[in-house]
Amino acid sequence: MSHVARFFVLLLCMLAISGCWDRREVNDMAIVIAMGMDKEPDGMYRLSVQVPLVSSLGAQSGGGGGTSGNKSFYVDSAVGKTIRDANSVIQSRMSRSIYYSHHRMIVIGERLAEEGLSDALDIVARFPENRLTAYLVMSKGKAIDLLTVQPQFERFSGEAMRELIKMEAIPVSLKDVSQMLNTPGVDAFLPVLSAVDSHPKGKSKEIQFTGIAMFRKDKIVAVSKVEQISGLRWFQRTFIPFSIALPLNNKERLTFEFTKGKTDLKPVIRNGQIQFEITAYVTAVVIENMTNLDLEEEKNMVLLQNKLSQEINSSIKKTLDLMQKKRSDPIGLGIMLARHYPREWRETYRNNWNEVLPDLTFQIRSKVNVASIGQTTKNITKEEHDE
């Protein structure tokens, strides 16, 4: 190889290892863990951001609310005519560039949810560093109040909210909400989180999943407690296990955990009346037996399966009744109708689906399989007492 050829090869190698011309140093960024959006009484928007204080992560205490010291995170907020305007105000007093690529939680304040989500979510979706997979929740009260809570098991309330949503609630991402707000035949819903006292005299605050917020278009129409809308769990793409206490009488009860669940929906139109045939397929395990029943006996298992089936049917009916009362469709019944009757949907129901909801009828049934009764068939304390 000639000297000239070697020179050009060397030059090409040098160009390939020239470094990152547009690099961003970690020390120059304020990495946002969670963000909150509120609507002020005067119509202004409040944006709040939760940022870890890297230099204090080794400390045992935490906090926020615009202070530092030995705190493990910092919460700052500002008010503006738009969310972007409020973001600019925060940036103007922060020595590091606000970086949103790692945020996993977006908290919506209750007032903002009442007045409409669309404007606020539009600006969030346009952030170039935004994550469509970030979870959305609604705060009972102001969003900033959840960001300033210091949980005991996590360094940051944003991380505590994310884990709680995945484990106990029904996860809803920014992408999910965007699709629900833009798809005829389904309405949006959000998990509701609240800051609650975890110790006597209010010494500490924890975050708790307290309910579901139902929307019509982009405005909230109802906030329901978890038990009032538990039937919504059976209609999700990914089933999250949960448990219930099943009473047999005034004194005896069993506790079951539902480990698997799937629901089939089939709409039928007869003489202009829409009926949905709903079948839930459920797998459950016994995790507590406070009765005298011997679960090894077939008649007792049949009894439990029938009672579980009644309980599931009742929870689904409560959810459907609430949906019809509030004229909101978080399940997506309209989507199922559009799939089975596309012409009727386009011509008759698409533009007034929320008005049609109260007139729907339902046929609900469930098929329950008790897969496990534990390591004993009877309550062991009652066995010893009988002997």
Side-chain angles (χ1 to χ4, degrees):
M1 182 182 293
S2 66
H3 292 291
V4 176
R6 290 177 181 176
F7 172 77
F8 279 110
V9 171
L10 180 61
L11 181 62
L12 289 174
C13 293
M14 291 177 65
L15 291 174
I17 59 174
S18 59
C20 298
W21 61 272
D22 62 344
R23 72 185 186 278
R24 301 178 68 178
E25 298 291 346
V26 174
N27 292 338
D28 296 331
M29 296 186 296
I31 300 174
V32 176
I33 296 174
M35 61 186 293
M37 294 181 290
D38 289 299
K39 195 76 173 289
E40 297 295 306
D42 59 1
M44 302 282 276
Y45 290 93
R46 177 177 293 278
L47 174 67
S48 307
V49 294
Q50 185 181 75
V51 180
L53 298 173
V54 180
S55 60
S56 301
L57 287 180
Q60 293 300 313
S61 61
T67 60
S68 55
N70 63 347
K71 311 297 185 180
S72 63
F73 64 89
Y74 171 83
V75 175
D76 201 354
S77 71
V79 174
K81 294 180 180 179
T82 66
I83 296 296
R84 175 59 81 177
D85 187 25
N87 179 78
S88 299
V89 175
I90 298 176
Q91 184 63 81
S92 69
R93 59 178 180 238
M94 191 173 289
S95 60
R96 299 185 181 189
S97 175
I98 302 176
Y99 188 68
Y100 286 95
S101 288
H102 287 282
H103 84 279
R104 297 180 176 182
M105 289 299 310
I106 301 174
V107 185
I108 304 295
E110 190 171 9
R111 181 188 289 272
L112 178 58
E114 291 172 350
E115 297 189 14
L117 298 175
S118 295
D119 291 343
L121 292 184
D122 176 79
I123 188 64
V124 171
R126 291 176 192 275
F127 277 133
E129 299 162 347
N130 180 68
R131 277 190 169 199
L132 291 177
T133 56
Y135 291 140
L136 257 73
V137 298
M138 195 192 87
S139 169
K140 189 63 176 175
K142 289 189 174 183
I144 190 174
D145 293 338
L146 286 186
L147 298 187
T148 55
V149 170
Q150 173 58 63
Q152 299 302 306
F153 285 100
E154 306 290 347
R155 286 288 187 181
F156 319 109
S157 60
E159 185 67 15
M161 285 187 276
R162 188 176 73 92
E163 295 299 327
L164 182 63
I165 288 299
K166 292 193 299 182
M167 183 174 60
E168 290 293 328
I170 303 174
V172 179
S173 68
L174 177 58
K175 180 181 178 181
D176 294 332
V177 172
S178 298
Q179 290 176 338
M180 287 187 284
L181 290 177
N182 289 285
T183 304
V186 63
D187 290 303
F189 69 92
L190 290 178
V192 178
L193 301 183
S194 303
V196 298
D197 294 332
S198 61
H199 296 287
K201 299 180 181 180
K203 294 181 180 179
S204 176
K205 291 282 188 180
E206 287 289 346
I207 297 173
Q208 182 176 341
F209 170 50
T210 57
I212 294 290
M214 299 169 58
F215 291 76
R216 189 185 315 128
K217 295 184 178 179
D218 70 334
K219 295 182 179 180
I220 190 172
V221 294
V223 177
S224 303
K225 295 181 180 179
V226 177
E227 58 271 16
Q228 292 176 322
I229 200 164
S230 61
L232 186 61
R233 294 179 180 271
W234 302 110
F235 298 92
Q236 304 308 305
R237 291 190 301 269
T238 302
F239 180 77
I240 297 178
F242 68 102
S243 60
I244 65 163
L246 181 70
L248 291 183
N249 49 52
N250 292 333
K251 295 182 179 179
E252 296 183 308
R253 66 185 60 243
L254 293 96
T255 304
F256 291 86
E257 181 179 20
F258 297 119
T259 57
K260 295 180 182 179
K262 177 186 176 183
T263 302
D264 288 341
L265 285 168
K266 181 182 178 182
V268 178
I269 300 179
R270 294 190 183 97
N271 300 322
Q273 177 65 46
I274 304 172
Q275 182 180 72
F276 279 85
E277 298 175 357
I278 301 173
T279 306
Y281 300 91
V282 181
T283 300
V285 298
V286 179
I287 58 177
E288 189 177 37
N289 182 8
M290 301 177 66
T291 72
N292 290 316
L293 291 179
D294 185 347
L295 302 184
E296 201 170 39
E297 296 184 12
E298 183 178 355
K299 65 177 183 178
N300 292 334
M301 292 300 296
V302 172
L303 171 67
L304 294 183
Q305 288 174 346
N306 289 336
K307 283 191 169 292
L308 275 176
S309 180
Q310 294 172 9
E311 180 69 22
I312 294 168
N313 294 347
S314 176
S315 69
I316 293 176
K317 187 177 185 304
K318 286 180 182 178
T319 299
L320 295 171
D321 288 344
L322 182 62
M323 289 170 47
Q324 291 183 295
K325 180 180 179 180
K326 299 299 180 179
R327 292 188 292 116
S328 176
D329 183 9
I331 291 176
L333 298 177
I335 293 178
M336 297 303 299
L337 182 65
R339 291 175 182 173
H340 286 78
Y341 296 92
R343 183 174 61 83
E344 289 84 349
W345 171 256
R346 289 193 306 270
E347 296 177 357
T348 308
Y349 303 110
R350 176 188 172 97
N351 296 326
N352 64 338
W353 179 240
N354 293 101
E355 284 67 39
V356 174
L357 275 173
D359 299 324
L360 303 182
T361 60
F362 305 96
Q363 181 182 355
I364 307 169
R365 59 177 178 270
S366 56
K367 298 181 180 180
V368 181
N369 173 36
V370 179
S372 173
I373 59 174
Q375 298 184 29
T376 180
T377 59
K378 294 197 295 186
N379 187 310
I380 58 173
T381 59
K382 290 181 171 56
E383 288 178 344
E384 292 175 355
H385 178 75
D386 292 342
E387 291 176 357

